[in-house]
Amino acid sequence: GKVEFGTIQLSTNKSAAIAFVHQSTQPAFWVCSVHLTGDPKLDQVRVQEIKKAIGTQQNQPFILAGDFNETEHDVAYRYLQSAGFKSASKHLYHCEPKRTFKTDRLDRTIDFIFSSSHLEAVEFDCPEIPANATLPNQYVPSDHIYLRVVLEFK
């Protein structure tokens, strides 16, 4: 099988994109992990970062996941929806997780898994962060909780 790997230079952060090709049936699909610009005033920069990340792969199955540094009510999230991408959590549960990021100062959902229209989420998991917990801690080594999805080709 063939696997392509590359990094995409976003504005100040890098993202990784990997193309996988199934050995017997040959469909290629892309997985891109992003860490978008964190400054809340730079929402249009995050949209440009997403456009660069999905690039010319829009006609192939595509998974875009990571730290979007904004909520579902912000511009980059809405841009992905308008481009035909679906949030795995919203597709299955009609809502996003309660929180994916929690420090002593901030508590919000800013991490998502999106897929193109070629794929459909059939499972999604995000552990609950207790209201009195902060991240990182002795159980979670990051200030973000993990997300897990199972996708199927349509």
Side-chain angles (χ1 to χ4, degrees):
K2 178 175 126 180
V3 176
E4 295 177 31
F5 175 80
T7 58
I8 302 165
Q9 181 67 44
L10 301 178
S11 57
T12 57
N13 299 322
K14 285 187 179 176
S15 290
I18 304 171
F20 297 93
V21 179
H22 191 278
Q23 287 184 343
S24 58
T25 60
Q26 299 302 306
F29 67 96
W30 287 84
V31 178
C32 184
S33 172
V34 296
H35 182 208
L36 302 183
T37 297
D39 187 331
K41 295 179 228 129
L42 298 178
D43 55 350
Q44 290 303 320
V45 170
R46 284 188 291 281
V47 170
Q48 292 306 314
E49 290 173 334
I50 286 171
K51 287 180 180 179
K52 190 170 188 179
I54 60 178
T56 60
Q57 312 310 326
Q58 290 182 339
N59 294 325
Q60 294 184 31
F62 201 97
I63 302 162
L64 185 67
D67 179 354
F68 285 72
N69 272 314
E70 66 174 46
T71 72
E72 66 182 296
H73 306 291
D74 294 314
V75 113
Y77 185 102
R78 291 193 316 264
Y79 171 78
L80 275 168
Q81 288 179 311
S82 71
F85 283 76
K86 292 181 295 190
S87 157
S89 178
K90 193 158 267 196
H91 172 72
L92 289 170
Y93 304 117
H94 308 291
C95 64
E96 294 297 349
K98 185 172 182 178
R99 61 178 67 91
T100 63
F101 174 80
K102 188 167 188 312
T103 64
D104 55 351
R105 295 176 305 140
L106 297 170
D107 179 356
R108 61 181 72 162
T109 298
I110 59 174
D111 303 276
F112 306 100
I113 300 175
F114 282 91
S115 62
S116 66
S117 61
H118 307 86
L119 301 164
E120 183 169 359
V122 294
E123 290 180 33
F124 178 84
D125 182 45
C126 175
E128 177 135 355
I129 304 169
N132 62 347
T134 59
L135 301 178
N137 59 38
Q138 70 269 30
Y139 306 107
V140 180
S142 172
D143 53 357
H144 297 261
I145 201 76
Y146 75 86
L147 306 177
R148 184 188 69 83
V149 67
V150 175
L151 298 157
E152 290 182 352
F153 284 99
K154 284 187 173 181

